Amino acid sequence: MNRSFNKGLLVLFVLLMSSKLSFSQETLFEFGTSRSMEAVLSGAKVKDTPLKWVNVNTTKETWKLMKDGTLSNTGLPIGVIRSAKQYENFILHVEWKHMEAGGNSGVFAWSGAKPVGTNPLPDGVEIQMLDLEWVDLNLRNGVRPPIAYVHGELFGVQGVSTVADNPRGDRSKSIENRVKGKGEWNTYDVVCVDGVIKLSVNGKFVNGISKSSQKKGYLCLESEGAQIFYRNLKVIELAPGVTSAAETAALLP
């Protein structure tokens, strides 16, 4: 074989291997809906838009959409799925319940939806969903961690910075514990506007962050080692703000 042919085979091999190692970007399913605030206020009978979810670095077996519209997440492998489009200013409603003691999961807002370095999770602002028993199962030198860990913490991750309303280090903790235990449904209403997030847990606003360094990006649902169920996910899109390219996550195919 001549050298140019050998070089061509090498390039083809590298391309094939890189495609196998790259993270999947396939649409897995539709779950939840979105509509604009204008549509909400007009009262017009306009159909909501189904939300499409794209696999980033989980598997088809990680997620199962039930006949009643509930979405099951096994928690393995650790990673995320992302919304097909980016969101800037919006209201998110989602209901969730853990099925395992100490279960861990969450939603990422304003995310770039790509793993950072060796970490399988992306950047963005994490809206924590942690079972109440996590603190009992994760003693530190025999000392029980504070309950602040589990009731709706908000924090920037993987290079995204925020200012906490109720600081616990770099994170913001809820001022009142309103999370229910495993097997019970919890309701989050999340208002995201111009780098500010306010979180309502089971009917009361108890936490928030401001000055997020990234304020437009994808929504991500997290798989983090434990089974969790989601239902009634709805997004109401609000008017855009003055958001620079530096404050916006890169667009993905």
Side-chain angles (χ1 to χ4, degrees), residues 180-222:
K180 300 175 184 178
K182 67 178 185 295
E184 296 187 80
W185 286 103
N186 291 280
T187 298
Y188 277 7
D189 290 303
V190 192
V191 181
C192 304
V193 178
D194 194 30
V196 174
I197 293 180
K198 298 294 184 181
L199 171 64
S200 167
V201 178
N202 292 324
K204 184 183 287 188
F205 281 98
V206 292
N207 202 4
I209 58 93
S210 62
K211 298 184 179 179
S212 176
S213 60
Q214 190 159 276
K215 53 184 183 177
K216 182 177 180 180
Y218 298 96
L219 283 171
C220 292
L221 297 180
E222 181 183 24

Side-chain angles (χ1 to χ4, degrees), residues 143-156:
V143 178
R144 184 176 184 264
I147 196 69
Y149 276 90
V150 302
H151 53 96
E153 279 201 322
L154 301 171
F155 48 97

Side-chain angles (χ1 to χ4, degrees), residues 24-30 52-56 58-63 80-81:
S24 172
Q25 294 290 310
E26 60 179 327
T27 300
L28 292 178
F29 46 75
E30 294 180 349
K52 293 183 179 180
W53 294 91
V54 177
N55 188 34
V56 176
T58 62
T59 69
K60 289 182 179 179
E61 292 71 32
T62 304
W63 309 89
V80 297
I81 56 174

Side-chain angles (χ1 to χ4, degrees), residues 78-227:
I78 293 175
V80 297
I81 56 174
R82 67 167 175 88
S83 56
K85 63 173 287 186
Q86 292 190 348
Y87 296 93
E88 181 181 356
N89 296 333
F90 61 95
I91 300 170
L92 168 68
H93 173 93
V94 62
E95 298 165 26
W96 60 273
K97 68 176 176 180
H98 276 295
M99 303 306 294
E100 302 176 28
N104 193 354
S105 191
V107 175
F108 291 82
W110 299 326
S111 176
K114 292 178 67 176
V116 178
T118 58
N119 193 318
L121 300 177
D123 66 3
V125 180
E126 181 166 353
I127 303 154
Q128 181 76 275
M129 296 171 172
L130 198 61
D131 178 65
L132 286 172
E133 294 181 62
W134 189 92
V135 294
D136 299 313
L137 299 173
N138 291 271
L139 302 182
R140 299 184 175 184
N141 297 319
V143 178
R144 184 176 184 264
I147 196 69
Y149 276 90
V150 302
H151 53 96
E153 279 201 322
L154 301 171
F155 48 97
V157 291
Q158 306 287 37
V160 173
S161 63
T162 60
V163 175
D165 284 7
N166 314 299
R168 185 183 74 78
D170 294 333
R171 301 184 175 203
S172 189
K173 62 183 180 181
S174 295
I175 57 176
E176 180 180 313
N177 180 17
R178 299 183 56 79
V179 171
K180 300 175 184 178
K182 67 178 185 295
E184 296 187 80
W185 286 103
N186 291 280
T187 298
Y188 277 7
D189 290 303
V190 192
V191 181
C192 304
V193 178
D194 194 30
V196 174
I197 293 180
K198 298 294 184 181
L199 171 64
S200 167
V201 178
N202 292 324
K204 184 183 287 188
F205 281 98
V206 292
N207 202 4
I209 58 93
S210 62
K211 298 184 179 179
S212 176
S213 60
Q214 190 159 276
K215 53 184 183 177
K216 182 177 180 180
Y218 298 96
L219 283 171
C220 292
L221 297 180
E222 181 183 24
S223 172
E224 199 176 0
Q227 185 177 34

